[in-house]
Amino acid sequence: MQHVSPIREPLVTGGKTYHDITEDVSRQVEAKPNIRWALALAVALFFLGIFIYSVYRTLWYGIGEWGLNKTVGWAWDITNFVWWVGIGHAGTLISAILLLFRQKWRSSINRAAEAMTIFAVICAAMFPVLHMGRPWLAYWVLPLPNTFGSLWVNFNSPLLWDVFAISTYFTVSLVFWYLGLVPDFATIRDRATGPIARRAYALLSLGWTGSAKHWSRYETVSLILAGVSTPLVLSVHTIVSMDFATAVIPGWHTTIFPPYFVAGAIFSGFAMVLTLMIITRDVFRLKDYITLEHIESMNKVIILTGSIVGVAYITEFFIAWYSGVEYEQYAFINRATGPYWWAYWSMMTCNVITPQLFWIRKIRRSIVATFIITIFVNIGMWFERFVIIVTSLHRDYLPSSWVMFSPTKIDIGIYVGTLGLFFTLFLLFAKYFPVINMFEVKTILKSSSGVPHSLEPEESMHATTPVTHHNKHHD
């Protein structure tokens, strides 16, 4: 006997059957691109062109094309690097931690979040490589045997820790994402009518047949990857924060950075997932799968992590005062009242004040309000990284070294260009890959609606097997 909670709303609405799920998700892969998708891709490709031109200028003329100077040696490049790494954090959290905790509401959003993670890390990796000045020597950061005498990497440097953390994060996320796609690729393979599509998806599906053995191994590997990925949620941005926390520069040398950065990363990551999923549910007509229940659940995570970030901001000021170090105190007073006061107060408004509106249930369940607030959150998190990096550097111990930083057109071009790269990749993913995890949504269909759904005769083994397998273990 199954008990359905009278309080919890269904995760799949519209009275969907298993066959409906396959049709709704496969439709956007099999149909020809619509005009809205084509226009969005054209805009993304335009900004990608700006990125390519800006990178060309940087490689040909050098880092002097950027706005860096003798005092502010890190600025937009590292700001954008940390921002992009943070945006990628929600994918791992949704995929790994929520899977281990058996949170069923993750099923409709996990694939897009995982894809967002991979694309965000690709964008993030561009900045340190370009900042090297000679990116063709990037392999020098790897501990490889060489013939350059005593040339070896410094294992005490958090910059080297970044290399290992980001590369591990990217690799595990990529495997996790692709593994989840294999059963759905098999479904699309069996539905494909054109020879090219059939061959392409057959190659991508790796010979998946939907047998009990395949599903058993699939679930085992998923849990192993979830267990491996869970520490990465905490470790990656902890290591990124140590780029600053291990320095002795006032404003950076603080032990609160690791938890503060992790909370901020999840905060901005969930905001970006919401931004993309609100657009996706409208463009691909997936409102029955990405429901208000999903949006409200993610908004609750934003309230929590946004509140943690707000407490961290206050704690930083308290520790600066409590330390009794005048340089530390000046660094924080300068942030709020100095030349970059506008960046600091933009950060406080977007990250601390705006998300508190989600305490109101009506706003928390409003699509328009959620979309606007998540945009503000991502703007605020960019300003947070800018404030931490630039305002801590532009006032040195010597007044003769005090300078202001202003980005050049190339700085702006590279940043805007990575947005073009990110959205180009995401749009291609959303069109040619199933944007929602079909088989995982099928496993929650019965429990989310409370009404048993019979299988349609057209359904293939790829839909029926996960339901039976899942219920056998978890019902």
Side-chain angles (χ1 to χ4, degrees):
M1 181 178 178
Q2 182 181 7
H3 174 71
V4 180
S5 170
I7 299 174
R8 193 177 299 277
E9 296 186 13
L11 296 174
V12 179
T13 59
K16 299 294 183 179
T17 64
Y18 297 127
H19 178 67
D20 291 336
I21 294 173
T22 302
E23 288 295 325
D24 292 344
V25 178
S26 300
R27 185 194 310 121
Q28 50 88 15
V29 178
E30 297 164 346
K32 292 182 179 179
N34 60 43
I35 187 66
R36 290 189 294 178
W37 182 87
L39 288 173
L41 183 64
V43 173
L45 287 173
F46 171 75
F47 286 110
L48 180 60
I50 294 175
F51 173 74
I52 293 170
Y53 173 74
S54 301
V55 169
Y56 153 73
R57 294 276 304 199
T58 300
L59 296 180
W60 189 257
Y61 293 103
I63 301 299
E65 288 286 289
W66 296 358
L68 304 178
N69 51 59
K70 64 178 183 177
T71 303
V72 184
W74 283 0
W76 268 48
D77 48 338
I78 306 301
T79 298
N80 297 331
F81 164 71
V82 180
W83 187 73
W84 277 117
V85 172
I87 279 177
H89 249 56
T92 310
L93 179 78
I94 292 169
S95 302
I97 295 181
L98 296 186
L99 172 64
L100 295 177
F101 282 97
R102 299 297 183 189
Q103 295 297 302
K104 295 181 179 180
W105 62 268
R106 62 177 280 284
S107 300
S108 295
I109 60 172
N110 65 334
R111 178 162 298 156
E114 291 165 12
M116 191 191 76
T117 293
I118 295 162
F119 304 149
V121 172
I122 291 172
C123 293
M126 298 289 181
F127 292 97
V129 171
L130 290 174
H131 198 192
M132 291 176 181
R134 296 181 176 88
W136 49 90
L137 300 179
Y139 68 94
W140 282 14
V141 302
L142 302 174
L144 300 173
N146 58 78
T147 57
F148 297 110
S150 59
L151 180 65
W152 199 248
V153 293
N154 179 12
F155 285 100
N156 293 324
S157 171
L159 300 180
L160 181 65
W161 308 343
D162 269 351
V163 174
F164 293 111
I166 300 299
S167 58
T168 303
Y169 186 49
F170 177 77
T171 304
V172 174
S173 299
L174 183 64
V175 172
F176 207 169
W177 174 67
Y178 186 78
L179 179 73
L181 279 163
V182 170
D184 287 356
F185 280 148
T187 299
I188 296 174
R189 173 200 65 197
D190 295 344
R191 293 167 53 91
T193 55
I196 296 176
R198 188 183 302 113
R199 185 176 294 274
Y201 288 111
L203 192 65
L204 290 169
S205 62
L206 305 177
W208 179 273
T209 62
S211 66
K213 182 180 287 187
H214 282 185
W215 280 113
S216 176
R217 290 174 176 173
Y218 174 88
E219 288 199 355
T220 301
V221 175
S222 293
L223 287 174
I224 291 171
L225 285 174
V228 171
S229 300
T230 299
L232 292 177
V233 176
L234 303 176
S235 67
V236 172
H237 230 60
T238 295
I239 291 172
V240 169
S241 75
M242 289 178 181
D243 293 348
F244 311 102
T246 54
V248 294
I249 293 174
W252 287 4
H253 192 63
T254 174
T255 55
I256 199 176
F257 265 22
Y260 162 27
F261 269 53
V262 170
I266 297 170
F267 182 50
S268 61
F270 266 80
M272 182 61 88
V273 170
L274 270 169
T275 303
L276 293 176
M277 295 314 292
I278 287 172
I279 296 172
T280 302
R281 76 192 288 269
D282 182 64
V283 172
F284 293 121
R285 301 190 295 277
L286 298 171
K287 295 179 182 179
D288 289 325
Y289 305 101
I290 304 168
T291 66
L292 289 177
E293 186 72 16
H294 294 93
I295 292 170
E296 184 176 17
S297 297
M298 287 191 279
N299 283 338
K300 289 176 181 177
V301 176
I302 288 178
I303 293 173
L304 173 63
T305 50
S307 300
I308 293 172
V309 168
V311 170
Y313 293 158
I314 298 168
T315 305
E316 279 188 311
F317 266 88
F318 171 76
I319 294 300
W321 166 80
Y322 189 71
S323 69
V325 179
E326 58 181 337
Y327 305 108
E328 194 78 21
Q329 292 171 357
Y330 174 77
F332 285 93
I333 294 172
N334 181 57
R335 285 182 184 179
T337 63
Y340 291 108
W341 64 269
W342 50 271
Y344 178 82
W345 290 109
S346 296
M347 173 193 80
M348 292 295 287
T349 302
C350 295
N351 289 351
V352 180
I353 299 172
T354 306
Q356 300 308 314
L357 294 173
F358 282 144
W359 287 105
I360 304 169
R361 188 172 187 270
K362 187 175 181 180
I363 294 178
R364 197 167 63 237
R365 295 179 66 85
S366 167
I367 301 297
V368 175
T370 297
F371 185 76
I372 294 171
I373 291 173
T374 54
I375 295 292
F376 272 99
V377 167
N378 276 308
I379 292 172
M381 289 307 294
W382 189 92
F383 274 116
E384 179 202 284
R385 280 60 181 256
F386 179 83
V387 166
I388 289 172
I389 294 166
V390 174
T391 64
S392 299
L393 290 175
H394 85 121
R395 291 291 182 258
D396 205 345
Y397 288 101
L398 297 175
S400 60
S401 299
W402 289 9
V403 295
M404 293 292 289
F405 166 80
S406 297
T408 64
K409 290 184 291 185
I410 302 302
D411 276 318
I412 297 170
I414 291 179
Y415 171 60
V416 170
T418 53
L419 290 171
L421 173 62
F422 177 82
F423 283 105
T424 298
L425 293 173
F426 189 84
L427 286 165
L428 291 173
F429 153 76
K431 178 65 190 76
Y432 295 107
F433 289 4
V435 74
I436 285 180
N437 198 325
M438 283 189 274
F439 76 90
E440 283 204 12
V441 172
K442 289 172 184 175
T443 64
I444 66 169
L445 186 62
K446 184 177 178 180
S447 61
S448 68
S449 64
V451 179
H453 291 269
S454 60
L455 285 171
E456 300 290 334
E458 302 97 329
E459 275 303 279
S460 67
M461 191 174 191
H462 314 299
T464 64
T465 307
V467 179
T468 306
H469 191 72
H470 179 86
N471 291 344
K472 180 177 71 174
H473 286 282
H474 303 299
D475 279 3

